[in-house]
Amino acid sequence: MPEVPWRRRVGVAPKTWVAVMAIAVAVLGWLPFLGRALGPDEGGFLMVGGAWHDGTSLYGPYWVDRPPVLIALFGLADALGGTVALRLLGALATALVVVLAGVLGRSAAPERRSAPLLTAGAAAVLVATPLFGGTVVDGEVLGLPFVVAGVTAYVASAASRSTRRGLALALTAGVCAALAVMVKQSLVDVGVVAVVLLVTSRQARRRFPAFLASAVVTVVVVAGLAALRGTSPAGLWDAVVTFRFEAGRVLAADDGNAPQRARELALAFVASGLPLLALALGWRGRGRPSVQGPWTAPDLRIAAYVLLAVEVVVVVLGGNFWLHYLIGLVPGVVLLAAAFAQRPAPVTRSTAAAYAVTGLSSVLVLAWVVVHPIGRPELAAADYLEAHAAPDDTAVVVFGGANILREADLESPYPYLWSLPARVRDPELSDLTDLVVSSRRPDWVVVAYGALGAWEMDGDALRSALARDYDEVATVERFTIYRSGHDAG
């Protein structure tokens, strides 16, 4: 009697093991970085999340142009210990994206057994690559599970023939859509898919009112909870909507490093293999979808094309061209894989090769970053402050580099931990100058090289105040460190 393969003996299909491996690969990409030093955004958001209470600014003592669910997630990570907890939260988000992408494939093409592998595989080969800012936890990473969950729920809602189940799924999709936007205001993917299906699918059109109502209710509830912690709805609107238009004008006039970052972002986009994978899925996914059974999902091809186009526009309009913007393209590629799975076209060598190239790119870049870690010049300044600052000292970093303060365990009396809010809301640096000559003056001021002469900001008054009231005590890496010389008069 021939021996039965062990996977069959335990009742697990080979494709299930492939799916498990896809999830494991995506998560394992984060493990080497659990204890690595925080990036500027990670350090800043942990400070904001940990200090969020009723205070003098939008989120207690600090102001940042991000919605409250993101701050709450970083506050959770801060309460659980900080760096490692945050990275584990990022790994969990990555795993959820891969799992939910598989569920989307199942919902979109239940008659095709390979559909979950196609969609989960598309997510797995992209979510952990450092070319998309992977290994660093940011708003895009934490928002992706809500995006993919929302798209999956809405597709399943439109496919369901049960009124009750379809309604429940549409309500779930609306909640996820709102939470995604309340993590990062540019994550409008679920709404885009819902609007496109409103035009292309009669069944989806019937679910749209429930979707819209639950999204609105969720936004109201989140805003109400934020207000209980001292963050007003008017303040949130100013931060996540009005400020972005003001920031856009500032970024449009930026003649600094943005063009160089744009070139690096374009290179990362090509090197990731994403264009090749999207082209293969789109080319092979032409034609009419397969005839399905009683569970009939809407045709997702047009929705996938529109979603990818919107995601590309969001990346370009982001202005700063940071690599982590690119991870926002993952839902569009996953939806394109779902649309491909709906068609009778087989998985050809060209399609498999596109998956293989994209996956190989992620593995090679991950291996490179493990051996050659991302440089953190801020650590030298943090080490100096940690060695010389008293426990109750305060500090300001001009500009950005909030991970310096987080690593040195110092608070800032200046509400802007990032350069862009300072450039938009304090362009003459009058607030910062008034601070350093007041009784609330920080004990330490850390100035990044060239910061006071960048972005056409007027730093003369601040330079004079530092020369008069502070002592220059050290220069480490690209940072000059000043210590308050005497009590303010």
Side-chain angles (χ1 to χ4, degrees), residues 325-340:
Y325 290 179
L326 291 174
I327 205 168
L329 301 176
V330 172
V333 177
V334 169
L335 193 65
L336 193 61
F340 169 82

Side-chain angles (χ1 to χ4, degrees), residues 333-429:
V333 177
V334 169
L335 193 65
L336 193 61
F340 169 82
Q342 289 181 320
R343 276 137 181 93
V347 179
T348 61
R349 290 181 179 179
S350 60
T351 308
Y355 273 90
V357 168
T358 307
L360 182 61
S361 170
S362 295
V363 170
L364 291 177
V365 177
L366 274 168
W368 174 266
V369 174
V370 169
V371 178
H372 303 278
I374 298 171
R376 295 294 183 203
E378 303 91 358
L379 286 182
D383 290 342
Y384 182 92
L385 292 177
E386 189 174 18
H388 295 86
D392 58 347
D393 280 357
T394 60
V396 169
V397 178
V398 185
F399 290 100
N403 51 338
I404 295 174
L405 304 179
R406 172 71 187 191
E407 297 285 5
D409 196 21
L410 297 176
E411 296 180 355
S412 172
Y414 189 56
Y416 308 124
L417 301 178
W418 285 265
S419 62
L420 186 58
R423 291 160 61 187
V424 175
R425 296 176 64 90
D426 191 17
E428 304 299 324
L429 299 183

Side-chain angles (χ1 to χ4, degrees), residues 426-451:
D426 191 17
E428 304 299 324
L429 299 183
S430 55
D431 292 346
L432 182 54
T433 303
D434 290 344
L435 176 65
V436 300
V437 298
S438 72
S439 59
R440 296 180 56 247
R441 66 197 305 175
D443 299 285
W444 304 85
V445 176
V446 182
V447 181
Y449 176 77

Side-chain angles (χ1 to χ4, degrees), residues 77-460:
D78 178 74
L80 293 176
T83 302
V84 174
L86 179 63
R87 298 281 165 69
L88 288 174
L89 191 61
L92 175 61
T94 298
L96 286 174
V97 168
V98 177
V99 171
L100 290 166
V103 177
L104 174 59
R106 178 78 175 182
S107 300
E111 82 291 348
R112 188 167 187 174
R113 296 179 62 186
S114 63
L117 297 182
L118 290 167
T119 50
V125 298
L126 292 172
V127 288
T129 175
L131 292 174
F132 287 6
T135 74
V136 175
V137 182
D138 226 315
E140 288 82 359
V141 169
L142 297 179
L144 277 188
F146 297 109
V147 169
V148 182
V151 172
T152 300
Y154 199 69
V155 170
S157 171
S160 177
R161 288 295 178 264
S162 166
T163 301
R164 180 177 299 178
R165 189 171 189 271
L167 178 61
L169 287 167
L171 293 172
T172 301
V175 171
C176 292
L179 291 176
V181 173
M182 298 298 271
V183 171
K184 182 76 184 290
Q185 57 265 52
S186 60
L187 294 178
V188 296
D189 308 55
V190 186
V192 170
V193 172
V195 169
V196 174
L197 294 183
L198 183 67
V199 177
T200 62
S201 168
R202 180 191 304 175
Q203 190 72 358
R205 197 175 305 133
R206 294 172 58 188
R207 308 299 189 204
F208 189 79
F211 164 83
L212 184 61
S214 66
V216 171
V217 169
T218 302
V219 170
V220 172
V221 170
V222 171
L225 293 174
L228 294 177
R229 301 190 68 174
T231 301
S232 70
L236 280 177
W237 179 265
D238 174 61
V240 303
V241 179
T242 305
F243 175 85
R244 296 313 305 175
F245 289 101
E246 298 170 348
R249 290 192 292 269
V250 170
L251 292 172
D254 187 2
D255 58 356
N257 296 326
Q260 174 62 27
R261 288 198 301 270
R263 289 189 289 270
E264 293 172 353
L265 184 141
L267 180 60
F269 174 69
V270 174
S272 70
L274 185 150
L276 178 64
L277 180 58
L279 182 62
L281 291 171
W283 179 257
R284 295 295 304 171
R286 295 169 297 161
R288 297 181 63 82
S290 303
V291 177
Q292 303 177 56
W295 177 286
T296 306
D299 186 352
L300 299 176
R301 184 175 56 176
I302 295 177
Y305 292 160
V306 173
L307 180 59
L308 263 175
V310 170
E311 289 170 347
V312 170
V313 170
V314 168
V315 169
V316 174
L317 293 182
N320 267 320
F321 304 111
W322 301 112
L323 289 182
H324 61 80
Y325 290 179
L326 291 174
I327 205 168
L329 301 176
V330 172
V333 177
V334 169
L335 193 65
L336 193 61
F340 169 82
Q342 289 181 320
R343 276 137 181 93
V347 179
T348 61
R349 290 181 179 179
S350 60
T351 308
Y355 273 90
V357 168
T358 307
L360 182 61
S361 170
S362 295
V363 170
L364 291 177
V365 177
L366 274 168
W368 174 266
V369 174
V370 169
V371 178
H372 303 278
I374 298 171
R376 295 294 183 203
E378 303 91 358
L379 286 182
D383 290 342
Y384 182 92
L385 292 177
E386 189 174 18
H388 295 86
D392 58 347
D393 280 357
T394 60
V396 169
V397 178
V398 185
F399 290 100
N403 51 338
I404 295 174
L405 304 179
R406 172 71 187 191
E407 297 285 5
D409 196 21
L410 297 176
E411 296 180 355
S412 172
Y414 189 56
Y416 308 124
L417 301 178
W418 285 265
S419 62
L420 186 58
R423 291 160 61 187
V424 175
R425 296 176 64 90
D426 191 17
E428 304 299 324
L429 299 183
S430 55
D431 292 346
L432 182 54
T433 303
D434 290 344
L435 176 65
V436 300
V437 298
S438 72
S439 59
R440 296 180 56 247
R441 66 197 305 175
D443 299 285
W444 304 85
V445 176
V446 182
V447 181
Y449 176 77
L452 293 181
W455 310 303
E456 299 184 355
M457 299 179 76
D458 185 1
D460 291 341

